């Protein structure tokens, strides 16, 4: 009877622990300190491997070479490795049992064109290369945590599932496939992408379109039609950029691509532009869509032309009721504070976390290091903070999956 009472009292005391106390206890564990020390000793190897992964160009839907390289690194460890229909590489570090399943995701793809030759350079404490931050810093962070966990002989109660996803930049195809296949099997989903000092717990809605103004076309010298379809397109673009886009709720509008005739001496019969609309409010998205459709219709009719709209992709705002107050968010905040951050906590993530949230899986997004110029050839990251970021990710892995005795 006394034994039973002691067990009950112990269980109550554990359950009454605050997230901060839980995280602190894990952080003070000798094995975790050993894992942190391994990361410090592994710095040169981490930087070399980070650069090696980055220098393998991996445009969306063409990630195979980088995926093979990452898989070859994973096969050095005791992991259950497989791929799925989307080409994701999935590596499971099995737990001892009785703990939650925690997924950590870093995406393999970049926004850069096929054939780009990438050569990283290091100077003034930073590393420069297209894709060095988005998202190879986080691929390397996961690989480094696997090595540190193994070196410190750390076991977890729950499984930690490392997912290296495809096509994040062009529609989150990989994450959508994984979360659809594993709905009901995952307790926590952490998407590693942008960020360092803080994290997000909800996702911004993202709709991509290609709007066309369609006219008869003609030669430069032709009297009919009087002008190219590019003129009503230009007028429409100017008006669209005059629309008021709210900052609260967080919203964005961008026209990033343009197209028209194939030669200089032709009046465009099809002038088109891409539109990227984002908001944490689906109502704002609908309102902007309505206003833009009206502008397009008016400008096309003014020129005696018509409108055609292609929906490239559509993803609603990813808001999971109660997620802000969930265990995942509380643990993530405690981990960030334990690592010395005063974390900004936002609701406008724009990454694979949204795929999980839309499947009803508790999810956040964060990152392993501070970087600049994402999606540009001048992309770069600070080197030194990455090592602290890797420790943050490792601590989050253990706090979510549970440290096994």
């Amino acid at each position: 009877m006394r034994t039973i009472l002691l067990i009950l009292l112990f269980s109550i005391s554990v359950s009454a622990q605050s997230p901060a106390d839980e995280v602190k206890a894990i952080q003070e564990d000798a094995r975790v300190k050993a894992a942190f020390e391994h990361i410090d000793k592994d710095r040169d190897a981490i930087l070399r491997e980070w650069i090696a992964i980055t220098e393998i160009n991996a445009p969306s839907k063409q990630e195979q070479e980088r995926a093979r390289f990452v898989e070859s690194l994973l096969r050095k460890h005791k992991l259950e490795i497989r791929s799925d229909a989307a080409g994701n590489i999935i590596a499971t570090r099995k737990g001892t049992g009785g703990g939650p399943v925690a997924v950590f995701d870093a995406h393999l793809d970049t926004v850069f064109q096929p054939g780009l030759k990438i050569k990283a350079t290091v100077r003034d404490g930073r590393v420069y290369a297209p894709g060095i931050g988005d998202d190879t810093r986080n691929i390397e962070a996961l690989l480094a945590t696997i090595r540190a966990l193994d070196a410190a002989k750390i076991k977890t109660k729950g499984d930690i599932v490392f997912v290296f996803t495809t096509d994040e930049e062009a529609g989150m195809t990989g994450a959508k496939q994984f979360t659809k296949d594993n709905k009901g099997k995952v307790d926590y989903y952490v998407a590693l992408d942008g960020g360092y000092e803080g994290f997000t717990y909800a996702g911004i809605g993202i709709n991509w379109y290609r709007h066309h103004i369609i006219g008869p076309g003609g030669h430069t010298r032709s009297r009919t039609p009087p002008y190219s379809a590019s003129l009503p397109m230009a007028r429409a673009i100017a008006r669209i950029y005059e629309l008021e886009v709210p900052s609260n709720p967080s919203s964005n509008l961008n026209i990033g691509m343009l197209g028209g005739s194939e030669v200089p001496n032709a009046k465009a019969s099809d002038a088109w532009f891409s539109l990227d609309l984002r908001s944490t409010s689906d109502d704002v998205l609908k309102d902007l869509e309505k206003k833009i459709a009206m502008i397009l219709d008016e400008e096309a009719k003014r020129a005696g032309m018509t409108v055609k709209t292609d929906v490239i992709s559509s993803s609603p705002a990813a808001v999971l009721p109660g997620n802000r107050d969930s265990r995942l968010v509380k643990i993530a905040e405690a981990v960030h504070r334990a690592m010395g951050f005063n974390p900004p906590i936002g609701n406008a993530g724009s990454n694979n976390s949204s795929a999980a949230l839309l499947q009803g899986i508790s999810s956040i997004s964060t990152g392993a290091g501070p970087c600049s110029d994402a999606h540009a050839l001048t992309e770069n990251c600070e080197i030194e903070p990455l090592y602290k970021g890797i420790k943050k990710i490792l601590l989050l892995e253990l706090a979510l999956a549970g440290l096994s005795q």
Side-chain angles (χ1 to χ4, degrees), residues 275-293:
L275 179 68
D276 180 359
L277 278 184
R278 302 184 180 217
S279 181
T280 54
S281 166
D282 289 331
D283 289 338
V284 169
L285 289 174
K286 289 174 185 175
D287 181 62
L288 287 170
E289 287 166 353
K290 183 178 178 181
K291 290 174 178 175
I292 290 166

Side-chain angles (χ1 to χ4, degrees), residues 15 148 348:
S15 63

Side-chain angles (χ1 to χ4, degrees), residues 232-290:
M233 178 187 74
R235 288 171 174 161
I237 289 172
R239 288 179 62 188
I240 289 168
Y241 269 117
E242 290 174 356
L243 291 173
E244 186 176 341
V245 179
S247 57
N248 186 21
S250 180
S251 307
N252 308 93
L253 178 156
N254 179 57
I255 293 169
M257 300 169 67
L258 303 172
S261 65
E262 298 296 324
V263 292
N265 61 340
K267 295 177 179 179
S269 60
D270 180 354
W272 61 267
F273 63 92
S274 67
L275 179 68
D276 180 359
L277 278 184
R278 302 184 180 217
S279 181
T280 54
S281 166
D282 289 331
D283 289 338
V284 169
L285 289 174
K286 289 174 185 175
D287 181 62
L288 287 170
E289 287 166 353
K290 183 178 178 181

Side-chain angles (χ1 to χ4, degrees), residues 334-372:
V335 165
H336 280 78
R337 294 193 184 281
M339 292 301 301
F341 299 116
N342 182 23
I345 303 172
N347 66 344
S350 178
N351 49 55
N352 282 338
S353 177
S354 291
L357 290 164
L358 291 170
Q359 289 289 347
I361 302 168
S362 186
S363 181
I364 63 164
S365 65
T366 187
C371 299
S372 302

Side-chain angles (χ1 to χ4, degrees), residues 33-44 46 148 384 387-388 391:
K33 289 181 178 180
F36 280 11
E37 288 173 6
H38 183 272
I39 292 166
D40 288 331
K41 292 175 183 176
D42 203 31
R43 288 179 176 219
D44 290 345
I46 287 170
E384 183 64 28
Y387 307 117
K388 181 177 179 179
K391 294 174 186 177

